[in-house]
Amino acid sequence: MTRVFNFSAGPAMLPTEVLERAQAEILDWNGSGMSVMEMSHRGKEFMSIAEKAESDLRQLMAIPDNYKVLFLQGGASSQFAMVPINLLGDKRSADYLSTGQWSKKAIAEGKRYCDVTVVADTSETRFTTVPSAASLNFSSDAAYVHYTPNETIVGVEFHYVPDTGDVPLVADMSSTILSRPIKVGKYGVIYAGAQKNIGPAGVTVVIVRDDLIGNALPGMPAMFDYQVHADNGSMYNTPPTYSWYLAGLVFDWLLQKGGLESMAELNYSKAEKLYAAIDASGFYSNPVALECRSWMNVPFILADPELDATFLAEAAEHNLKTLKGHRSVGGMRASIYNAMPMEGIDALVAFMADFEQRYG
Ligand SMILES: *Cc1c(COP(=O)(O)O)cnc(C)c1O
C-alpha cells in the first residue's frame, strides 16, 4: 500500500494515524460489538463520542463557556443562509467583505434575506490582496459583519482580525480553522465545513455566542434555527454520526500533537518553505501579495502553462497528487492543511526544482 501526498483543497487528506485508529475500531468500537456507523445517536456509546469531540474541540480552541458548539449538516454553504436567518433579528442589513469566490457566494445568499453592504471588495486585484484594517468602515446599523479569513481558491488570507466593535463578527473558517490558535471571543459566529481541516465531509462545525441564538426569522425551517440545534445538542435529527466521530479522532490527534500552537509552528514552516521555493525560482510564481498569503492553500503558476499537464502527470508519478489549481484560476494549488506533513512539502519542493531544471 502506498499513501500519496494529497494536496487536495477538500475533501483533503486526513492524518494516517486517525485513519488507522478508525480502521482498528471499525467493526467493534471500544468493546461495544458495533461500528460507530451502526450506533444509535442517542445511545450512551455515541453520546460519549459526541461529548468527547466537543470537549476536545473546546480545549483545543479555548472556546469560552458562553459559546455553543454545534455539529450540523449542510456544509459551510448552508451557513451562508443560517447566518442571516439567525443574526438579523429586527435589523435589515449586514456588512460583508468581498475577498474571493467564497465570500461572493456568502454575499449572494445573504442578499436573499437582507440588504448587503459590501464594505470592502478586492476584485480589482483579482482577489490577490485583502483590505487593510484601516480601510474598513463598518455600518453602525449592521446586524453583523461577515468575512472569509482564508479564501481557499486564490490562497489569500487575513493575518489580522477585523475590529467590528459591538457588531458581531462572523467568520467562514472552512479552510483555516484549527491551523493556529485564535481568540474565539472576538467572534460572534465561526463556522467551517469539516472536509478541509477537521475531518471527512458531512459535518459542519458552528461555534456561536449564546446571545446570538434564539432570534431566527419567522417562517424559516426548524433545521435552519441555531436554537433548535442548541436545545437538542445537535441531535434534533440524526446527526452525521461517523463524520462527527472522525472529527473527534482528529481533535484527539491534534491534542496529542501539542495542540494549535504546535500546529501553527508547523504550518508556518511548511508554508514558508513552499513560498520560498516558489519565490526563489524564475519558473514558478505566486500572484498573492506577500502580507496576505495563505498558510493553507498555496497556488502557483508555471512560466509556461503548456507544461501544466506534464507537471501534473510527473508529479502524480512521484505520489504528489491533486495539485491542479481551481478551474477559475488555472495553474497549480497545493493545499497544505494540518494533515500534510513536512515530508510532503519537502517532496513537492524537490520535485519542483527537478522539473524546473529539466523543463525551465
Ligand atoms: C470549501 C469552502 C466552502 C464550501 O463548503 P461546503 O461545505 O462545500 O458548503 C465555503 N467556504 C470556504 C472558505 C471553503 O473553503
Side-chain angles (χ1 to χ4, degrees):
M1 182 199 67
T2 310
R3 294 263 305 154
V4 302
F5 292 118
N6 175 9
F7 293 91
S8 170
M13 73 185 283
L14 288 163
T16 303
E17 294 100 311
V18 164
L19 295 175
E20 282 170 342
R21 182 155 164 210
Q23 180 182 45
E25 295 177 346
I26 196 161
L27 292 178
D28 175 10
W29 181 83
N30 202 24
S32 65
M34 279 183 249
S35 174
V36 175
M37 277 181 262
E38 304 168 304
M39 286 175 184
S40 163
H41 54 296
R42 302 194 193 282
K44 70 175 185 335
E45 288 95 348
F46 187 77
M47 289 298 270
S48 75
I49 289 169
E51 278 161 21
K52 177 166 160 46
E54 178 175 336
S55 71
D56 283 355
L57 181 63
R58 284 185 175 277
Q59 188 185 335
L60 275 170
M61 294 183 71
I63 300 174
D65 288 344
N66 62 324
Y67 285 73
K68 291 277 185 301
V69 178
L70 308 177
F71 290 84
L72 307 182
Q73 302 185 60
S77 301
S78 291
Q79 295 309 309
F80 296 164
M82 284 178 82
V83 165
I85 286 172
N86 287 276
L87 266 58
L88 275 172
D90 48 17
K91 302 226 161 102
R92 308 192 55 135
S93 68
D95 285 354
Y96 279 75
L97 276 58
S98 181
T99 56
Q101 312 270 11
W102 290 115
S103 47
K104 277 168 69 178
K105 286 204 166 166
I107 288 168
E109 192 70 18
K111 282 182 175 165
R112 294 159 64 98
Y113 302 95
C114 65
D115 296 330
V116 166
T117 309
V118 176
V119 292
D121 179 349
T122 55
S123 57
E124 270 187 11
T125 69
R126 307 190 70 205
F127 298 124
T128 58
T129 56
V130 300
S132 71
S135 72
L136 296 174
N137 279 313
F138 300 109
S139 322
S140 53
D141 59 346
Y144 59 88
V145 176
H146 181 282
Y147 85 123
T148 312
N150 185 73
E151 288 279 1
T152 322
I153 292 175
V154 171
V156 68
E157 178 157 13
F158 284 79
H159 291 294
Y160 69 91
V161 181
D163 180 1
T164 58
D166 290 339
V167 179
L169 179 62
V170 178
D172 172 2
M173 288 205 188
S174 295
S175 51
T176 183
I177 193 168
L178 301 177
S179 65
R180 75 206 76 178
I182 57 159
K183 286 209 162 56
V184 172
K186 290 188 175 180
Y187 301 86
V189 180
I190 292 168
Y191 64 88
Q195 67 273 19
K196 277 114 189 191
N197 217 8
I198 294 177
V203 67
T204 309
V205 170
V206 180
I207 302 166
V208 52
R209 211 174 63 209
D210 280 345
D211 62 292
L212 301 174
I213 297 174
N215 309 305
L217 299 178
M220 293 296 159
M223 283 293 287
F224 272 50
D225 185 342
Y226 288 151
Q227 173 105 59
V228 169
H229 294 293
D231 286 351
N232 290 281
S234 304
M235 296 195 190
Y236 172 69
N237 74 323
T238 314
T241 48
Y242 202 71
S243 297
W244 191 337
Y245 155 72
L246 269 168
L249 294 188
V250 171
F251 301 153
D252 190 87
W253 177 81
L254 285 169
L255 286 170
Q256 284 174 37
K257 291 269 156 190
L260 300 192
E261 271 96 13
S262 306
M263 286 329 291
E265 255 173 62
L266 178 62
N267 287 327
Y268 179 75
S269 319
K270 280 154 51 187
E272 275 289 294
K273 195 181 270 188
L274 185 47
Y275 284 118
I278 293 167
D279 291 345
S281 107
F283 184 70
Y284 304 105
S285 60
N286 168 286
V288 177
L290 287 178
E291 68 281 6
C292 45
R293 285 172 161 183
S294 168
W295 290 14
M296 297 280 100
N297 310 97
V298 182
F300 58 93
I301 53 171
L302 277 51
D304 178 5
E306 301 261 300
L307 288 168
D308 283 3
T310 312
F311 181 94
L312 288 166
E314 290 196 14
E317 282 168 23
H318 286 78
N319 292 328
L320 304 166
K321 295 278 180 94
T322 341
L323 281 160
K324 197 176 193 321
H326 190 270
R327 58 191 181 279
S328 65
V329 183
M332 309 299 152
R333 172 176 51 173
S335 294
I336 53 174
Y337 304 114
N338 287 343
M340 175 63 66
M342 187 61 94
E343 294 75 49
I345 308 296
D346 290 334
L348 175 60
V349 166
F351 168 75
M352 287 168 68
D354 177 59
F355 188 88
E356 177 176 359
Q357 202 146 54
R358 286 181 293 115
Y359 294 97

